[in-house]
């Protein structure tokens, strides 16, 4: 299985090499090859998905070195004889956090290729080559178990996307691609500093002074660090907070969080449809994935200290993004701003620092990828026919393209978190989890539910409802197609004068699987959560354990102090049982603040019932007043 | 006690009730092209089977009856099983919903005949029935919320069914958004409940048990009840969120009958009735509920007095009648609690039949008039539409609370509950005093506007709509876009509807009479007109613990109510039975009031000018800020390095080869020196 994982990751880039070598005059061969490669990658990903065992907590499909227990193969700088030097490894594996993002990448690549099937006519081979290279970058990133490898893939994804936007983009493509590149590069350099700091801190202060770049080892090691200042809470100068902020810089831009989101609308509007689909569907998740893996997994106390800041930015992003979306007339810009709003929900869920919120956030990453990818693909379908995205120029397209109307409606309602569709099962747990962390933040964020419905329904009303009004298609449009009836699903009315082709098979192929998942996740979310939960549980446990140790540091007990090294790995039950319940309210008292005092007063009353629930969650609610 | 309960056959299979209509909807949707004109059959079958199962559950209703079908959602500590509760309240609702929807679906087959999107209509109806029955069945606040939004989405899609009409598009969006505002309150109530519920269990039994045992503080109960009521005001169209319902009449008439009169709009009433064991512990909130219901009933009745659109009169009357149900719910203080919730649910029950009847009859009129529904454009239809005329008359009399029809008994129960609350309430007695008298005044207005609509439509000299009518709107105002030519013009104007439409009307009229007769017959046997209904409802979770004292039939209230109802009809008869000068004179006399009522008291305009405008303006501001402030700010920060570069570093990039060579050499020298020094340190 480890081999299959490696093959899956590198298959696309081999495909892009092949595309460069195959001579191709009209681009037909290129797109077929690209499609074949993407389908093969998807097939491999699905095999991995089916082989994934939800009960296992750590990374799966990773070849562990039997002698040392390290994952993967040694790559750079390690001397196996003396066991000295930095041991940077090529190590891949999937866990609950990355599994679905991995599959999502493979799936959305099909959508991306389908949506550019007809629209890309120039330098076809290069276009698909860059797309496939981007796919390898993303797959490698999600599967990396080594922090250096992760960073390499992280930076690598910039390059193909830079060219995709810069070459096949709209009129302002150069500005968009440069802005996008510089923005993300600036952030990711700070993230690199943070990554180095993590490794160095671990090297210096871990118990056995190992220099490791392995993400699982770092997560465990940092959680059990033998360095008291590491667990200092409440001070902005504490090392965890500093490293947290460094890591945040790059990921926040990728997410993007308010106020560093302005590259996103520009990039989306200028990017070709395929670029937008991958950008919104997967690339933004790189940011939230990084936040989860590194900021929460490795510097949880920093996350806790920065909660007021992050939560405020997330809530502002939710409301501000939604309001700005409402003011747009360009459909693509509208969807782009909706991403700002929805990613705000994800960040809020992550930083609620409890199981419910984090589960919801991980789910929502998948959901947002599906719905926004589908929305961009639908907008692409419209743009390809009318060469405009202005909502003022079109209306009543339901009449012309009933199947597209169905897709667009489903994706929008899913995005608006309608129960029974996927958005709900992500967004609701996020809000519930963040309510436990801060009721004010949750209530404010919930207004995003209203605003979200507002701009999405507004778009639907403008584009789909109303009397049919089509923008004038320019000369090189398509000939009227006689077989229009055969394609249109509903037969509502296909005007004989129709000058645009109905939705084609390649567009249906690209969208149908997304629609299926949008409904499937909404109707029966449980198996999806079951795959996610072991991994999120480990992260929550790390957070709880570190909070616990920080608490014990602050309040040394007169009797012999036993420190538990909860870490990511074993000792679960020990940590759980050891939560001193009686001490909890005392801790909440000093840090109580105005609006959150409500949560605390409530926590008094639920002391007794909370005992029934999982201790982790209970204590996280009680710590609401941090 | 609960552990000893063994779920019976119908309890274990109650999930089939939402499942059958859903299956029917799916079959219709998938087979749309094959079925075409027969697309109603799968949905008919689905609803019919659901009705049969519902009847089965009626007998096995028990306050402890619940059954977990499957584990639906488990995100962290938010665990939601798909669990059904088959008690008195839910079985009553299920039977009513499936019965009325079945009749409406039959009616719709005639009404929607020939529409190009015929299959889509029936698929959505099936989906709606599935959501509504799911809402009623679920044993968990979150699951209720899921279906709660589900019915909202169906309503959205059905209001916008004729999507090419701009007015339908606007009404659909408005309905969804206003409901979302309500859902916001409901959602926050759920967050709050989740955070205080024992074991984060959101199921009804655990929460009511916790509320009863006092482990949920009183302030939280009051807050949560208020938030639930907020949610209910949107779905059940109460002040301040009622404005979507009249606009929802843009949808096809069967939709108005089913969703916007009989079933979905009662979801809010249902939710509060379901939560009664908790809401009854917050007397302050109850007073708010009663007062809001009362204000809504009065306002909507005042608007209904002057509307010219027959369906809008019915829509405002629905809002008004829902207000009565909330008045009853709000009266559940002290030992009136059980009586109040029974009154509210009984009124909901009877209202479902006679309001569906009135809407379908209006639809029948509309069908016969070629989609004209403006009462100024037709008159005196009693000879042309005899069945519609008679059935409408039954519905109108029931709405006017004329004895011994069903509406009389249920409205009397409501008034009885309010008068009980006047005595039972400790600190809010004056509120119920006002509510009681306002309710009586509203009863008079109800009788009047019902009579007005009835006489204007069916009495007086016969007149059929013609395009030359001065009241006729400009040509395209009624265009359904593409649907127009296909719908409503297949037949001559002014003929009675076909049997497929007439039979549901007769059945509903029969039920309206029958329920009244049952009350009359059961009265001497059980000691009260609605005791048979109360007996069934008592098998509801937490209801047996609600306070219930002795409440006899109040002849005073009944007589007064009947007199007011008869008075209202009589006044309407005098004014509208034959064309006369009286209405015009009244218009002149109360000019300002008349215009305000006709303009719906300008509430929509008020909301547009405040809430909607604020959101729109903030959106524009955000857009402006994003383009000109945030982006510039970030770009500005990016300019700092460039500025530094220009000012300082550019000096060194001067293009002089000699300078470059010298600096390179210098650097190499420093590097060597450094390395040498480093080497020296080592032993």
């Amino acid at each position: 299985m480890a081999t299959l994982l490696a093959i899956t990751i590198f298959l696309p880039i081999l495909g892009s090499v092949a595309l460069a070598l195959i001579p191709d005059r009209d681009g037909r061969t290129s797109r077929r090859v690209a499609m074949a490669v993407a389908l093969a990658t998807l097939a491999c990903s699905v095999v991995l998905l089916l082989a994934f065992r939800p009960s296992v907590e750590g990374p799966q499909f990773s070849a562990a070195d039997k002698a040392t227990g390290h994952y993967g193969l040694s790559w750079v700088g390690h001397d196996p004889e003396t066991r000295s030097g930095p041991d940077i490894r090529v190590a891949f594996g999937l866990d609950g956090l990355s599994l679905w993002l991995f599959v999502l990448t493979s799936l959305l690549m099909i959508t991306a290729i389908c949506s550019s099937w007809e629209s890309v006519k120039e330098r076809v081979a290069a276009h698909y080559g860059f797309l496939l290279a981007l796919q390898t970058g993303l797959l490698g990133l999600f599967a990396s178990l080594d922090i250096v490898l992760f960073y390499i893939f992280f930076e690598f994804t910039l390059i193909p996307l830079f060219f995709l936007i810069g070459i096949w983009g709209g009129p302002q493509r150069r500005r968009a691609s440069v802005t996008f590149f510089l923005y993300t590069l600036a952030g990711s350099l700070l993230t690199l500093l943070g990554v180095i700091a993590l490794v160095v801190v671990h090297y210096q202060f871990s118990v056995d002074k190992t220099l490791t770049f392995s993400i699982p080892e770092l997560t465990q090691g940092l959680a059990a660090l033998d360095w008291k200042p590491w667990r200092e809470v409440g001070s902005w100068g504490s090392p965890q907070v500093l490293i947290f902020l460094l890591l945040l810089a790059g990921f926040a831009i990728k997410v993007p969080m308010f106020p560093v989101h302005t590259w996103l609308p520009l990039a989306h509007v200028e990017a070709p449809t395929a670029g937008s689909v991958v950008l919104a569907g997967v690339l933004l998740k790189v940011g939230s994935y990084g936040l989860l893996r590194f900021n929460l997994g490795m510097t949880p106390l920093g996350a806790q200290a920065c909660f007021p800041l992050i939560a405020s930015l997330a809530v502002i992003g939710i409301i501000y993004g939604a309001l700005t979306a409402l003011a747009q007339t360009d459909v693509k810009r509208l969807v782009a701003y909706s991403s700002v709003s929805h990613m705000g929900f994800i960040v809020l869920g992550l930083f609620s620092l409890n199981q419910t919120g984090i589960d919801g956030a991980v789910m929502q990453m998948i959901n947002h990828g599906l719905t926004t990818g589908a929305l961009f693909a639908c907008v692409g379908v419209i743009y390809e026919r009318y060469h405009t995205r202005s909502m003022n120029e079109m209306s009543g397209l339901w009449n012309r393209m009933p199947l597209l109307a169905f897709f667009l409606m489903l994706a929008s309602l899913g995005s608006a978190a309608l129960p029974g569709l996927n958005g709900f099962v992500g967004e609701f747990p996020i809000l519930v989890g963040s309510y436990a962390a801060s009721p004010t933040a949750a209530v404010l964020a919930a207004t995003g539910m209203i605003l979200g419905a507002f701009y999405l329904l507004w778009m639907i009303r403008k584009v789909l409802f109303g009397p049919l009004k089509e923008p004038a298609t320019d000369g090189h449009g398509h000939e009227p197609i006689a077989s229009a009836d055969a394609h249109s699903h509903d037969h509502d009315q296909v005007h004989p004068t129709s000058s645009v082709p109905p939705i084609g098979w390649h567009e249906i192929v690209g969208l149908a699987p997304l629609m299926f998942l949008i409904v499937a996740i909404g109707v029966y979310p449980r198996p999806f959560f079951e795959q996610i939960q072991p991994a999120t549980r480990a992260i929550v446990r790390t957070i709880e354990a570190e909070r616990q140790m920080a608490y014990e540091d602050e309040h040394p007990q007169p009797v012999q102090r036993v420190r538990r090294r909860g870490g990511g790995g074993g000792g679960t039950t020990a940590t759980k049982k050891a939560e001193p319940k009686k001490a909890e309210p005392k801790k909440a008292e000093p840090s109580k603040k105005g609006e959150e005092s409500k949560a605390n007063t409530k926590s008094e009353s639920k002391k007794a019932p909370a005992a029934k629930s999982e201790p982790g969650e209970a204590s996280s609610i009680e710590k609401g007043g941090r | 006690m609960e552990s000893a309960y063994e779920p019976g056959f119908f309890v274990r299979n109650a999930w089939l009730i939402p499942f059958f209509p859903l299956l029917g909807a799916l079959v219709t949707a998938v087979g749309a092209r094959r079925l075409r004109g027969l697309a109603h059959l799968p949905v008919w079958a689905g609803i019919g089977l659901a009705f049969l199962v519902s009847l089965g559950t009626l007998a096995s209703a028990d306050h402890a009856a619940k059954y977990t079908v499957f584990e639906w959602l488990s995100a962290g500590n938010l665990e939601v099983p798909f669990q059904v509760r088959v008690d008195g309240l839910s079985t009553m609702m299920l039977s009513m919903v499936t019965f009325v929807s079945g009749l409406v679906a039959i009616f719709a087959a005639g009404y929607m005949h020939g529409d190009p999107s015929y299959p889509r209509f029936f698929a959505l109806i099936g989906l709606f029935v599935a959501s509504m029955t799911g809402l009623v069945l679920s044993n968990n606040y979150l699951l209720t919320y899921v279906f709660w939004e589900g019915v909202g989405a169906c309503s959205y899609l059905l209001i916008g069914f004729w999507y090419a009409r701009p007015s339908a598009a606007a009404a659909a969006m408005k309905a969804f958004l206003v409901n979302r505002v309500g859902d916001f309150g409901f959602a926050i109530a759920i967050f709050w409940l989740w955070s205080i519920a024992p074991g984060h269990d959101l199921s009804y039994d655990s929460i009511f048990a916790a509320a009863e045992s006092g482990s949920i503080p009183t302030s939280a109960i009051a807050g949560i009840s208020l938030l639930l009521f907020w949610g209910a005001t949107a779905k059940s169209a109460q002040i301040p969120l009622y404005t979507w319902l009249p606009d929802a009449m843009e949808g096809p008439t069967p939709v108005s009958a089913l969703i916007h009169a009989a079933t979905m709009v009662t979801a809010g009433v249902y939710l509060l009735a379901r939560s009664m064991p908790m809401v009854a512990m917050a007397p302050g909130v109850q007073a708010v509920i009663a007062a809001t219901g009362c204000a809504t009933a009065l306002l909507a009745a005042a608007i209904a007095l002057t509307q010219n659109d027959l369906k809008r009169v019915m829509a405002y009357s629905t809002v008004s009648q829902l207000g009565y149900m909330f008045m009853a719910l709000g009266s559940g203080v002290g030992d009136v609690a059980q009586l109040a919730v029974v009154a509210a649910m009984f009124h909901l029950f009877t209202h479902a039949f006679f309001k569906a009847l009135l809407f379908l009859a209006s639809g029948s009129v509309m069908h016969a008039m070629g989609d004209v529904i403006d009462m100024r454009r037709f008159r005196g239809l009693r000879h042309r539409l005899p069945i519609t005329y008679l059935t409408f008359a039954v519905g109108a009399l029931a709405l006017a609370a004329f004895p011994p029809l069903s509406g009389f008994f249920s409205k009397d129960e409501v008034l009885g509950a309010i008068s009980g609350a006047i005595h039972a309430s400790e600190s809010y007695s004056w509120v119920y005093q006002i509510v009681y008298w306002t309710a009586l005044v509203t009863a008079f207005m109800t009788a009047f506007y019902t009579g007005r609509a009835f006489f204007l439509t069916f009495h007086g000299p016969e007149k059929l709509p013609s395009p030359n009518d001065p009241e006729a709107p400009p040509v395209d105002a009624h265009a359904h876009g593409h649907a127009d030519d296909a719908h409503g013009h297949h037949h001559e104007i002014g003929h009675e509807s076909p049997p497929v439409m007439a039979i549901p009307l007769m059945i509903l009229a029969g039920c309206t009479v029958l329920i009244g007769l049952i009350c009359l017959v059961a009265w001497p046997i059980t000691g009260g007109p609605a005791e048979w209904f109360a007996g069934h409802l008592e098998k509801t979770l937490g209801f047996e613990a609600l306070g219930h004292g002795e409440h006899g039939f109040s002849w005073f209230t009944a007589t007064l109510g009947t007199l007011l109802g008869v008075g209202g009809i009589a006044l309407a008869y005098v004014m509208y039975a034959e064309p006369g000068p009286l209405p015009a004179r009244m218009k002149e006399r109360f000019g300002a009031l008349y215009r305000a009522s006709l303009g719906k008291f300008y509430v929509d305009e008020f909301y547009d000018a405040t809430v909607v405008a604020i959101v729109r303006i903030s959106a524009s501001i955000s857009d402006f800020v994003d383009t000109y402030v945030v982006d510039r700010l970030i770009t500005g920060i990016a300019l700092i390095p460039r500025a530094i570069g220009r000012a300082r570093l550019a000096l060194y990039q001067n293009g002089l080869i000699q300078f470059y060579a010298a600096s390179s050499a210098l650097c190499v020298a420093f590097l060597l020196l450094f390395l040498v020094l480093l080497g020296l340190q080592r032993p």
Side-chain angles (χ1 to χ4, degrees), chain A residues 447-495:
Chain A
T447 59
M449 266 172 36
I450 304 175
L451 293 171
F454 198 167
Y455 61 72
L456 286 164
L457 295 189
W458 177 248
M459 176 188 78
I460 288 189
R461 180 180 160 187
K462 288 289 238 179
V463 176
L464 297 182
F465 282 86
L468 178 67
K469 181 174 110 186
E470 294 180 279
T473 44
D474 45 8
H476 64 81
H478 309 264
E479 294 303 306
I481 291 191
S483 64
D485 265 34
H487 282 282
S488 89
H489 218 64
D490 211 352
H491 276 268
D492 252 2
Q493 203 123 58
V494 177
H495 284 229

Side-chain angles (χ1 to χ4, degrees), chain A residues 15 18-37 113 117 124-125 128 132:
Chain A
L19 282 175
L21 298 177
I22 296 172
D24 182 22
R25 210 171 297 142
D26 58 354
R28 277 162 183 261
T29 323
S30 298
R31 66 187 189 193
R32 279 189 195 142
V33 170
M35 185 56 128
V37 171
I113 290 174
W117 198 257
V124 182
Y128 291 113
L132 290 174

Side-chain angles (χ1 to χ4, degrees), chain A residues 10-23:
Chain A
F10 290 106
L11 196 59
I13 203 154
L14 291 177
S16 69
V17 171
L19 282 175
L21 298 177
I22 296 172

Side-chain angles (χ1 to χ4, degrees), chain B residues 270-504:
Chain B
Y270 166 79
L271 179 71
L272 285 187
R274 174 56 82 196
S275 312
M276 208 58 189
M278 186 167 60
V279 177
M281 296 166 84
V285 177
Q286 292 223 307
V288 172
I289 295 173
T292 313
C294 176
T296 312
L298 182 67
L299 179 79
I303 296 175
L305 291 178
T306 58
Q307 297 303 306
N308 291 316
D309 180 325
L310 178 58
K311 272 178 78 179
R312 295 226 169 206
V313 175
M314 290 305 140
Y316 281 106
S317 121
T318 304
V319 174
S320 182
Q321 295 303 308
L322 289 165
Y324 271 100
M325 296 172 208
F326 280 98
M327 281 188 249
L329 284 173
S331 308
V333 284
D335 62 352
V336 199
Q338 203 183 66
L339 175 72
V341 73
V342 168
M345 293 319 289
F346 190 46
H347 195 50
L348 184 158
F349 180 71
T350 60
H351 176 259
F353 291 95
F354 67 72
K355 191 48 71 66
L357 166 63
L358 283 170
F359 263 105
L360 291 186
S362 309
S364 175
V365 169
M366 197 171 168
H367 195 68
M369 295 296 112
D371 277 355
V372 173
I373 194 67
D374 189 328
M375 290 189 289
R376 290 168 299 187
R377 295 186 57 199
F378 49 74
R379 272 213 89 156
L381 303 178
R382 61 182 181 281
H383 301 302
R384 281 188 175 268
L385 311 173
I387 299 173
T388 311
Y389 170 65
L390 285 175
T391 50
F392 195 103
V394 171
L397 285 175
L399 178 58
F402 196 80
L405 293 172
S406 63
F408 165 75
F409 290 104
S410 62
K411 194 170 277 185
D412 195 65
E413 287 282 312
V414 171
L415 291 171
I418 304 170
S419 74
I422 297 176
H423 306 296
S425 179
E426 282 156 20
S427 33
Y428 301 103
S429 186
W430 58 276
V431 175
Y432 295 108
Q433 198 74 254
I434 299 172
V435 168
Y436 179 74
W437 291 106
T438 319
L440 282 174
V441 172
T442 311
F444 173 76
M445 290 158 76
T446 308
F448 176 75
Y449 68 67
T450 315
R452 172 177 173 267
F454 176 71
F455 293 124
L456 277 180
T457 306
F458 294 104
H459 282 256
E462 189 176 289
K463 172 181 165 189
L464 294 180
S466 74
N468 312 327
D469 199 312
E471 304 287 354
V475 183
D476 62 327
H478 260 274
H480 297 160
H482 73 282
D484 191 30
D485 43 340
H487 176 68
H489 290 289
H490 289 307
H491 52 91
E492 296 267 302
I493 277 182
H495 287 285
E496 182 58 279
S497 302
V500 69
M501 291 165 73
I503 289 171

Side-chain angles (χ1 to χ4, degrees), chain B residues 68-314:
Chain B
T68 307
V69 184
F70 67 100
E71 295 293 328
W72 178 64
L73 173 70
S74 154
N77 287 339
L78 182 69
E79 282 178 22
V80 184
F82 190 98
Q83 194 177 49
V84 299
R85 174 159 287 283
V86 189
D87 58 9
L89 184 60
S90 54
T91 52
M92 183 281 284
M93 289 290 287
L94 286 172
S95 314
M96 183 275 279
V97 168
T98 48
F99 181 70
V100 175
S101 350
L103 290 179
V104 172
I106 294 170
F107 179 90
Y111 189 86
M112 301 301 290
H113 180 77
D115 193 284
S117 300
Y118 193 77
R120 180 159 56 94
F121 180 84
F122 280 95
L124 286 171
I125 290 284
L127 196 61
F128 167 76
V129 177
S131 304
M132 187 68 204
T133 47
L135 188 160
V136 175
L137 262 178
S138 78
N139 184 34
N140 184 300
Y141 273 105
L142 186 60
L143 200 62
T144 302
Y145 180 87
V146 167
F147 290 112
W148 177 274
E149 284 226 327
V151 290
C154 293
S155 148
Y156 165 75
L157 292 169
L158 282 165
I159 296 171
F161 180 74
W162 286 314
Y163 53 81
R165 288 160 81 170
S167 56
M173 181 170 144
K174 183 174 174 184
F176 196 98
L177 284 184
V178 173
N179 271 301
R180 257 291 156 98
V181 173
D183 296 348
F184 172 75
F186 191 1
I188 291 169
I190 293 178
F191 304 158
W192 198 345
L193 276 172
W194 178 85
S195 67
I196 58 177
H200 300 302
D201 185 356
L202 286 168
S203 66
Y204 292 126
D205 29 1
S206 100
I207 284 175
F208 298 157
E212 215 172 314
S213 70
S215 62
I216 298 179
T218 330
S219 59
I221 288 182
I224 290 167
S225 303
L226 206 57
L227 285 167
L228 289 177
F229 175 58
W230 176 356
T233 55
K235 197 113 300 175
S236 289
Q238 297 294 295
I239 290 174
L241 299 177
Y242 72 90
T243 53
W244 65 273
L245 186 62
D247 288 13
M249 299 303 134
E250 287 295 337
T253 306
V255 169
S256 310
L258 176 62
I259 299 182
H260 305 118
T263 57
M264 185 189 86
V265 288
T266 61
V269 181
Y270 166 79
L271 179 71
L272 285 187
R274 174 56 82 196
S275 312
M276 208 58 189
M278 186 167 60
V279 177
M281 296 166 84
V285 177
Q286 292 223 307
V288 172
I289 295 173
T292 313
C294 176
T296 312
L298 182 67
L299 179 79
I303 296 175
L305 291 178
T306 58
Q307 297 303 306
N308 291 316
D309 180 325
L310 178 58
K311 272 178 78 179
R312 295 226 169 206
V313 175
M314 290 305 140

